[in-house]
Amino acid sequence: MLYAIIGHDVVNSLEHRQQARSQHLLRLEDLRDQGRLVLAGPFPSVDGIDPGPAGFSGSLIIAEFETLEAATEWADGDPYVAAGVYDRVEVKPFKKALP
């Protein structure tokens, strides 16, 4: 089943994001290589692709996991959690309707 993982950043998370980004991306690339990643990306804090020093307000990952518990465990192991980027993380079942 698909799950949406929504990470909500702490205020001024950009420095922490930059430090943990490569490890965060490695985990996402592993999901991609397994054919389980639907999409992943950050929410810019301002209306633009490159928010510059404004940074990001969070991230969205949609991926396939066996159970909600497995998705939650994976999300809890994200380097952004360990680095203090996320204030909180939500994990919800997701049903793709389109395209």
Side-chain angles (χ1 to χ4, degrees), residues 30-82:
D30 186 46
L31 282 180
R32 179 201 61 204
D33 294 348
Q34 293 175 35
R36 297 170 43 204
L37 181 65
V38 174
L39 65 86
F43 299 116
S45 290
V46 295
D47 189 10
I49 293 173
D50 181 2
F56 300 92
S57 64
S59 301
L60 172 65
I61 299 164
I62 298 179
E64 183 178 350
F65 293 91
E66 289 291 321
T67 63
L68 176 61
E69 292 78 20
T72 301
E73 182 178 324
W74 187 91
D76 289 344
D78 194 303
Y80 280 179
V81 172

Side-chain angles (χ1 to χ4, degrees), residues 1-96:
M1 179 164 187
L2 295 178
Y3 293 89
I5 300 169
I6 306 147
H8 300 269
D9 281 25
V10 299
V11 175
N12 299 318
S13 64
L14 187 57
E15 184 178 334
H16 295 297
R17 272 182 169 271
Q18 292 169 336
Q19 292 171 356
R21 186 170 189 266
S22 62
Q23 296 160 326
H24 171 76
L25 291 178
L26 282 173
R27 292 181 85 235
L28 291 172
E29 290 166 356
D30 186 46
L31 282 180
R32 179 201 61 204
D33 294 348
Q34 293 175 35
R36 297 170 43 204
L37 181 65
V38 174
L39 65 86
F43 299 116
S45 290
V46 295
D47 189 10
I49 293 173
D50 181 2
F56 300 92
S57 64
S59 301
L60 172 65
I61 299 164
I62 298 179
E64 183 178 350
F65 293 91
E66 289 291 321
T67 63
L68 176 61
E69 292 78 20
T72 301
E73 182 178 324
W74 187 91
D76 289 344
D78 194 303
Y80 280 179
V81 172
V85 173
Y86 294 149
D87 176 46
R88 64 186 174 91
V89 178
E90 295 178 76
V91 181
K92 300 179 178 188
F94 180 80
K95 182 178 177 185
K96 182 179 175 182

